[in-house]
Amino acid sequence: MKKIAILGSTGSIGTQTLEIVGANPDLQVVALAANSSVEKMEAQARTFSPMVVGMWTEEAAKDLRERLADLPVRVVCGMEGLLEIATLPQAEVLVTAIVGMIGIKPTIAAIQAGKAIALANKETLVTAGHLIIPLAKERGVSILPVDSEHSAIFQSLNGENPDRISKILLTASGGPFRGKTRQELEEVRVEDALKHPNWSMGKKITIDSATMVNKGLEVMEAKWLFGVDLPQIQVVVHPQSIIHSMVEYVDGAIMAQLGMPDMKLPIQYALFYPDRRPMMGKRVDFFSLKQITFEEPDLEAFPGLRLAYRAMEAGGSMPTVYNAANERAVSLFLNGRIRYLQIAELIEAAMDRHQVIVHPSVEEILMVQQWTEELTDKEVLQC
Ligand code: NDP
Ligand code: MG
């Protein structure tokens, strides 16, 4: 029996993780956490009988406590609750399916407590990878990628010598606006940006895919997970999302992982690695697929990707500025406060004003996050 805890169980990755738990009797859920989705959490607690559940707000926790009064489950809240769930002695694996930098502290605490991490929460690795990767090595803890591209790279590295990697080919669908010019993107509405052609995901990452900031975050995520240099990571636009990423070796051989676009495969792979388990669902049919195509990313129409390389080259606290400005800008865009093109503009404006801290501590990362959010809000007020 493998015992798992999930941060962000009510979201897109969280619910798909629970579907996998439902289909595999040797997985057991011991703890779940969410922000404010009390009804969903009540249903999950009744189905999966965790020992502890966490809600972010005190109000949501109080509501849930009343709803679950008939069950032997403890309801916790806030960051204290997330930390308790992340370090629960009974859990072996923590699935980080929470969205945003809020995942930093719980992820670090879980690694310190010796938990394996099934990592979906890329914002945490992007901003604190320089602390997390060495810590995981020191504690002998595995970080198993859930992000489909990183899972594909991880699978393409099976049995290979990582010193023989020539480059990583990180595939991108190109999102809903692939092929559009900057000018055509001026009038984009929230509804348009939320229509991803291949994947059904949470709102934040769907907007990140529409700006290609998601690919920028993934470049940084790949750098930390696989220890490669930035110039070794090449983004390849592949609209059909069948090849989930590739690794080219020094002899020119390229290993790739292919499959239908379905997050359940990488989630399940992370939970059972190095084993593979059967999975229902559609299979790639090469005859009906007919063609798979590739393009170079358009860095002019999608400056969010260009800025990610700049942030990573600057290093230190700059990826935090990139990520925090994006988190804030996406939320402002979703609330109708800014236009689509302003997302990348706000990221660039914050990066232009930032003095890099070379090796930021967790506290410094969180201070830089706050500084960036305040600056971004001020910029928007001035518009
Ligand atoms: P969703 O928005 O669908 O879900 C986010 C989850 O996090 C929800 O359960 C939400 O709870 C919870 N949450 C948010 N804030 C807090 C908080 N302060 N305390 C506790 N829980 C919180 O996101 P996704 O599932 O789409 O994405 C999750 C992460 O995985 C992101 O980092 C994303 O980039 C990454 N990822 C996602 C993919 C996908 O296919 N969706 C693919 C690859 C990576 P509530 O429901 O109460 O709001
Ligand atoms: Mg991805």
Side-chain angles (χ1 to χ4, degrees):
M1 188 67 78
K2 194 177 252 185
K3 296 183 174 169
I4 68 170
I6 308 173
L7 302 183
S9 63
T10 52
S12 163
I13 295 289
T15 49
Q16 293 182 86
T17 306
L18 287 173
E19 280 179 45
I20 292 165
V21 172
N24 289 278
D26 54 346
L27 289 178
Q28 188 191 342
V29 168
V30 291
L32 299 171
N35 182 24
S36 59
S37 304
V38 173
E39 270 176 36
K40 278 192 202 161
M41 186 57 98
E42 181 189 354
Q44 291 183 346
R46 293 196 181 279
T47 309
F48 294 97
S49 311
M51 305 162 64
V52 187
V53 293
M55 300 304 298
W56 180 248
T57 61
E58 175 59 52
E59 196 190 345
K62 190 168 167 278
D63 185 0
L64 188 66
R65 218 168 272 133
E66 282 163 17
R67 288 165 183 256
L68 295 177
D70 58 316
L71 292 187
V73 55
R74 223 149 50 72
V75 180
V76 295
C77 79
M79 182 52 76
E80 224 171 279
L82 288 181
L83 292 173
E84 183 177 337
I85 287 171
T87 58
L88 199 70
Q90 288 81 2
E92 296 160 58
V93 182
L94 178 71
V95 181
T96 61
I98 198 167
V99 59
M101 290 173 69
I102 192 88
I104 296 177
K105 283 188 174 175
T107 305
I108 290 179
I111 297 171
Q112 277 165 340
K115 314 292 177 200
I117 308 290
L119 186 135
N121 176 220
K122 61 190 86 179
E123 296 90 347
T124 280
L125 204 57
V126 162
T127 54
H130 60 288
L131 303 173
I132 287 172
I133 297 299
L135 181 67
K137 279 211 181 99
E138 184 194 310
R139 299 290 156 118
V141 159
S142 330
I143 299 192
L144 300 151
V146 166
D147 212 344
S148 59
E149 296 78 0
H150 304 76
S151 176
I153 296 162
F154 189 60
Q155 293 178 59
S156 303
L157 284 165
N158 266 342
E160 300 286 348
N161 178 353
D163 292 339
R164 298 290 184 238
I165 297 175
S166 164
K167 65 180 173 191
I168 282 176
L169 297 150
L170 192 73
T171 54
S173 71
F177 305 137
R178 182 179 60 85
K180 293 221 184 302
T181 62
R182 210 178 149 69
Q183 210 177 1
E184 287 171 316
L185 292 171
E186 256 161 32
E187 300 305 321
V188 154
R189 294 166 310 165
V190 173
E191 308 89 87
D192 306 322
L194 283 175
K195 279 186 206 137
H196 196 282
N198 304 341
W199 298 95
S200 156
M201 311 179 283
K203 279 188 181 168
K204 193 258 174 185
I205 184 175
T206 305
I207 301 300
D208 287 351
S209 301
T211 56
M212 288 197 81
V213 165
N214 181 50
K215 213 44 59 179
L217 296 172
E218 289 184 356
V219 169
M220 303 194 224
E221 189 184 5
K223 186 194 177 304
W224 288 120
L225 282 173
F226 307 112
V228 290
D229 295 329
L230 210 51
Q232 286 178 287
I233 308 171
Q234 186 179 357
V235 174
V236 178
V237 176
H238 161 47
Q240 297 81 14
S241 297
I242 294 294
I243 301 180
H244 296 305
S245 277
M246 307 175 254
V247 179
E248 183 185 303
Y249 291 92
V250 287
D251 57 358
I254 296 173
M255 300 292 171
Q257 185 253 327
L258 285 71
M260 295 304 288
D262 180 351
M263 284 308 297
K264 286 214 280 297
L265 194 156
I267 299 170
Q268 180 167 289
Y269 190 74
L271 292 176
F272 289 108
Y273 173 80
D275 197 8
R276 286 189 188 273
R277 288 290 175 90
M279 179 166 311
M280 305 294 278
K282 262 177 92 180
R283 298 290 196 249
V284 175
D285 171 4
F286 285 94
F287 299 121
S288 64
L289 193 65
K290 291 202 178 74
Q291 61 166 1
I292 47 176
T293 55
F294 305 95
E295 297 163 18
E296 237 180 274
D298 180 348
L299 297 185
E300 208 193 309
F302 299 99
L305 180 55
R306 173 177 54 79
L307 290 169
Y309 276 91
R310 186 182 139 197
M312 197 78 207
E313 270 157 21
S317 54
M318 197 58 102
T320 294
V321 175
Y322 174 88
N323 180 72
N326 179 60
E327 282 190 29
R328 191 52 141 217
V330 169
S331 135
L332 290 165
F333 175 65
L334 285 170
N335 290 323
R337 298 271 312 280
I338 61 168
R339 286 173 296 107
Y340 166 87
L341 286 179
Q342 280 179 282
I343 298 174
E345 285 166 14
L346 287 168
I347 298 173
E348 187 155 28
M351 285 172 63
D352 285 345
R353 282 170 183 70
H354 184 61
Q355 282 281 337
V356 172
I357 304 170
V358 176
H359 191 85
S361 63
V362 171
E363 298 319 318
E364 284 170 325
I365 291 169
L366 299 178
M367 265 167 48
V368 170
Q369 177 189 21
Q370 200 185 338
W371 173 87
T372 307
E373 288 174 355
E374 285 170 8
L375 186 86
T376 305
D377 286 347
K378 237 191 275 164
E379 288 274 331
V380 172
L381 278 179
Q382 275 165 12
C383 287

